[in-house]
Amino acid sequence: MIDLTMDMEQYDCPFIDTSDDYGVAYSAVHWDFDRAREELDTRLVVEGDDRTELEHGLRALREHDNMHDCSLLSKRDNVAHIRTTIGQTEAMEAIRNHDGYITGPFYIEDGHELWHVGFDHEDVAEGALSELEWNNEFDVVSRETPDLPDLQNLVQNAGAAMTLIDGCRDLSDVERETLEHAVRDGYFQSPRSATLGTLADEFGVSKPAVSKNLRRGQRKMIQRVVDALELLD
């Protein structure tokens, strides 16, 4: 197996076009390719720089020539969850022509898409890259050839990884920002280069408030780490 991470600029992709024109970014939640209709069905999280940019980006997405269907599932402030159906792009066709497949979620921002694709053999991957060069701009960010033990380890420990990811999602915005600043400023180092007082000044709150947010964030993450350790094979 050849696993490629690519920085793509497709010229017929609604997500890339709208992220280039407006302050919106897309993260794939789920995707499924309909071979009979040659369409890609996706569920994505869209984050705008603000509410106005989100609205402009969603409107442009619905009006894009290659957008077959776009429905809003939920929206809060500058973030939306959408379901879309788009026609097959030239890049998708090139990958499928060489029996390629998506190996991970894609992320799109500022007119660029981070794309994870796989191929079963080296020569097939090279053929796909040659075809992609005709109508697309891209850079291969990473190229890996995982062996069977690596693949087995990845699959067996996917549950542990998702447990840690869920732990990060459980954090409130305040808890996440407090932990990030504490780590960055050296609160957990020995000797410490940050204190509750400096963190409190940075956030403009009291020391007890910072301490409470740190404890809550640490408690959530430590429990998830313990849960993940139990799942490790």
Side-chain angles (χ1 to χ4, degrees):
M1 175 184 175
I2 311 299
D3 195 3
L4 303 178
T5 300
M6 307 168 66
D7 184 349
M8 293 287 303
E9 290 184 68
Q10 300 183 67
Y11 302 125
D12 53 353
C13 175
F15 311 120
I16 290 179
D17 284 349
T18 51
S19 73
D20 195 26
D21 294 335
Y22 300 97
V24 292
Y26 301 92
S27 300
V29 177
H30 170 268
W31 60 94
D32 182 45
F33 192 82
D34 188 317
R35 293 181 177 274
R37 296 184 299 168
E38 295 190 339
E39 292 180 332
L40 181 70
D41 183 75
T42 57
R43 288 169 178 79
L44 306 102
V45 171
V46 191
E47 183 176 2
D49 291 345
D50 52 43
R51 292 183 180 182
T52 300
E53 285 297 292
L54 177 64
E55 291 298 331
H56 289 167
L58 290 177
R59 182 172 63 249
L61 192 66
R62 296 187 186 99
E63 297 173 352
H64 194 279
D65 291 341
N66 201 27
M67 179 59 64
H68 295 183
D69 184 63
C70 179
S71 56
L72 179 67
L73 301 178
S74 61
K75 183 171 65 172
R76 182 177 179 181
D77 298 328
N78 63 321
V79 179
H81 183 202
I82 63 173
R83 177 177 180 176
T84 66
T85 302
I86 69 171
Q88 177 175 255
T89 65
E90 290 185 352
M92 290 182 205
E93 184 178 9
I95 295 298
R96 292 185 61 244
N97 285 344
H98 293 81
D99 296 323
Y101 41 88
I102 299 174
T103 59
F106 52 84
Y107 179 77
I108 302 171
E109 186 177 21
D110 295 332
H112 291 260
E113 176 180 6
L114 198 62
W115 207 10
H116 304 277
V117 295
F119 301 90
D120 292 331
H121 302 287
E122 181 79 30
D123 57 339
V124 177
E126 290 301 326
L129 293 176
S130 295
E131 184 173 337
L132 281 171
E133 288 178 345
W134 283 98
N135 295 302
N136 302 275
E137 294 288 337
F138 67 91
D139 291 310
V140 177
V141 178
S142 68
R143 185 187 191 107
E144 299 180 2
T145 309
D147 56 21
L148 189 56
D150 289 335
L151 290 173
Q152 183 183 22
N153 185 56
L154 176 64
V155 173
Q156 289 179 339
N157 293 310
M162 287 306 302
T163 296
L164 291 176
I165 293 172
D166 288 341
C168 295
R169 290 172 176 161
D170 285 344
L171 295 172
S172 69
D173 290 342
V174 172
E175 292 164 352
R176 176 180 56 79
E177 292 175 7
T178 304
L179 282 173
E180 288 175 349
H181 281 264
V183 172
R184 185 195 65 197
D185 295 347
Y187 178 79
F188 297 107
Q189 294 176 0
S190 182
R192 286 177 173 171
S193 54
T195 65
L196 287 177
T198 59
L199 290 173
D201 291 342
E202 194 167 353
F203 284 98
V205 298
S206 66
K207 287 193 289 186
V210 168
S211 178
K212 180 179 67 176
N213 291 327
L214 276 176
R215 289 199 308 272
R216 285 178 175 174
Q218 287 177 273
R219 184 168 59 249
K220 289 179 181 179
M221 291 307 302
I222 289 173
Q223 182 59 56
R224 289 292 188 170
V225 168
V226 172
D227 293 341
L229 288 172
E230 293 176 351
L231 292 172
L232 283 176
D233 183 69

